[in-house]
Amino acid sequence: MVKVRPRGRLVDRLAGRVLGLGRPTTAYVVGRGARVPMRDGVMLAADLYRPVSPPLGTVLVRGPYGRGLSQSLLSARVFAARGYQVLFVSSRGTFGSGGVFTPMLSEAEDGQDVVAWMRRQSWFTGTFATIGLSYLGYTQWALLADPPPELVAAVVAVGPHDFSRHHWGTGAFNLDALGWSDLIAHQQDAALAHLFHLATSARRLRPVLDAVPLVDAAERHFAGRAPWYREVVTHPDPDDAFWAPMRHTEALDRVTVPVLLIGGWQDIFLPQTVQQYARLRERDVDVALTIGPWSHQDLVGKGAPAVAQETLTWLDEHLAHRAGRRRSTPVAVYVTGARRWRRHRAWPPPTTPHALYLRTGGALSPDAPSRAERPSTFTFDPADPTPTVGGPTLTGGGYCDDTALSERTDVLAFTGPVLDADLDVLGPPAVELEHEGDNPHADLFVRLSDVDSQGRSHNVTEGYVRLDPARATGGVSVRMRDTAHSFVAGHRVRLLVAGGSHPQYARNLGTGEHPGTGKGFQPARHVLRHDADRPSCVVLPVAASGADRAG
């Protein structure tokens, strides 16, 4: 064990101030490079952070991104400086841990082996909690699929439980897997090489994202450093046995300990965070939910203070048993547009469906259409795909001005009248489209946007679906991601409809070829009917009068 040097103590004090945690309450020591044995003989590397005062409890953190300052500050140091003992373990094949890193594959078994080793150590306090975000949240769900009896609480921030649904849940491949694989492939490079790689990644990856076939272009780029990528791209069925070790839906049915879930409206894993909350609440598990105006990267940026504060509060209540219930309500969501936090007893709160109908000429109206309405058309060309503009992407993305997107010829924009009162949308909007086309191999991208008094449009939420080539023409339902947004008086509601969002999702080639190995292009002409006999609409979940909320 080594003491933290004065420079490290200064970093901890500054971090506490920036995160709104106040001053540290104790000094701590760090034991580096512990070796944790796995059942197959592989040894995982770990660091143990121990407060010099009697620990309030033990916290377990597991992940593949290393244990240096950039990772340990928010995952270990701030909690050790406030009385918690933290065991930080690197996933196999990363940062000193033995074996080969294959994403998601062995985290369930390795988690059980880490706990078995931990319970034999003299420093173990008898119970523990888990914390962490993103992949560090996934490792928690992998452990919760068979919860150890000593586990008493969990804080999962933007953590998926099922990577198959993330990669292929829309039917189109989510291309953020390429950027993430590129990060992992180079994260253990020498410091300067790693920084250069990060600084140039967007420029270097763009031609790979644009190339076909997807697999061949990626393999040339990776040159053997991400061997898992081919398998991920060439298994498009989420129910394929290939995905079984990476899918931990059973954890949602087995966890019984208090769980705090933290998400972002523009986070890539928001749908799974909402699913986790819904299932745990349905089972009467003590579950709380916080969703802020954040993208995935924001959770280590502008969202970090909220994550740190809420994590510490949850640990104080459920691991250290300090004081009583800390949250006034289980659910806290940030309402964009209104720019305020709102608290609810459940999510989504009571709402009333509010339909807005697509009309000829790009109107979006509460009035049902007539029989004389003409259809709207656009063409998606995979050789020149509709671009991704903002939204829930791994890097970049988030909220942005999407006015230029609404003006493209391969995008339909339907805009409502100026609102004379605020319209609060709480929950998942749904789009019902009467759709036809000349190519059965097609996708639909829909987005809800907010048009301000100056005519500028900003994204709110969106949905995506790859159409079944065998479907009959007619009704298509697209569920959008959950949102909490207030369209304030003087603004307008806008619905965008397109045939893709590239490179957020791999474009539909239009040929019926395998999405990972196909290389041909065939445009698709889309026709939206929106007359009295075949209406198309967006249904908004609007806050009910006297909705369940507080503050």
Side-chain angles (χ1 to χ4, degrees), residues 240-472:
D240 191 308
F242 165 80
W243 294 105
M246 309 171 214
R247 183 171 51 239
H248 300 293
T249 306
E250 70 275 15
L252 308 186
D253 295 322
R254 295 176 181 174
V255 61
T256 58
V257 302
V259 178
L260 169 61
L261 299 169
I262 302 175
W265 294 128
Q266 296 295 325
D267 175 55
I268 56 177
F269 299 124
L270 176 68
Q272 293 199 40
T273 298
V274 173
Q275 179 190 358
Q276 293 156 9
Y277 166 79
R279 180 60 183 142
L280 267 55
R281 182 174 184 270
E282 180 183 344
R283 294 181 48 237
D284 292 324
V285 174
D286 185 357
V287 60
L289 176 68
T290 295
I291 305 179
W294 308 310
S295 67
H296 195 72
Q297 288 187 321
D298 286 340
L299 271 292
V300 293
K302 62 184 179 182
V307 174
Q309 293 167 31
E310 296 227 350
T311 299
L312 185 60
T313 298
W314 199 256
L315 294 176
D316 284 351
E317 178 180 348
H318 297 288
L319 180 59
H321 303 293
R322 303 172 84 182
R325 174 65 67 176
R326 301 296 184 99
R327 294 175 71 106
S328 59
T329 58
V331 176
V333 297
Y334 187 88
V335 183
T336 54
R339 298 181 182 179
R340 67 174 183 270
W341 285 92
R342 179 180 288 176
R343 295 188 174 275
H344 296 278
R345 287 187 285 272
W347 183 264
T351 57
T352 300
H354 179 67
L356 295 174
Y357 293 91
L358 283 61
R359 303 292 295 271
T360 299
L364 191 64
S365 172
D367 300 323
S370 69
R371 284 188 170 83
E373 297 273 343
R374 298 184 306 277
S376 300
T377 66
F378 67 94
T379 297
F380 174 79
D381 183 358
D384 182 22
T386 312
T388 298
V389 178
T393 59
L394 180 61
T395 58
Y399 294 105
C400 70
D401 185 333
D402 63 4
T403 307
L405 180 65
S406 70
E407 296 171 346
R408 287 178 59 94
T409 58
D410 56 357
V411 176
L412 295 178
F414 299 89
T415 307
V418 174
L419 296 170
D420 57 10
D422 293 355
L423 185 71
D424 292 346
V425 177
L426 304 174
V431 180
E432 305 292 337
L433 299 176
E434 286 294 322
H435 177 271
E436 300 172 6
D438 64 357
N439 187 337
H441 304 289
D443 295 358
L444 281 172
F445 168 78
V446 295
R447 169 176 282 182
L448 194 67
S449 294
D450 185 329
V451 182
D452 65 21
S453 58
Q454 304 301 311
R456 295 183 298 263
S457 176
H458 291 80
N459 58 311
V460 175
T461 186
E462 60 194 52
Y464 197 99
V465 64
R466 177 150 294 182
L467 301 179
D468 182 353
R471 62 176 280 273

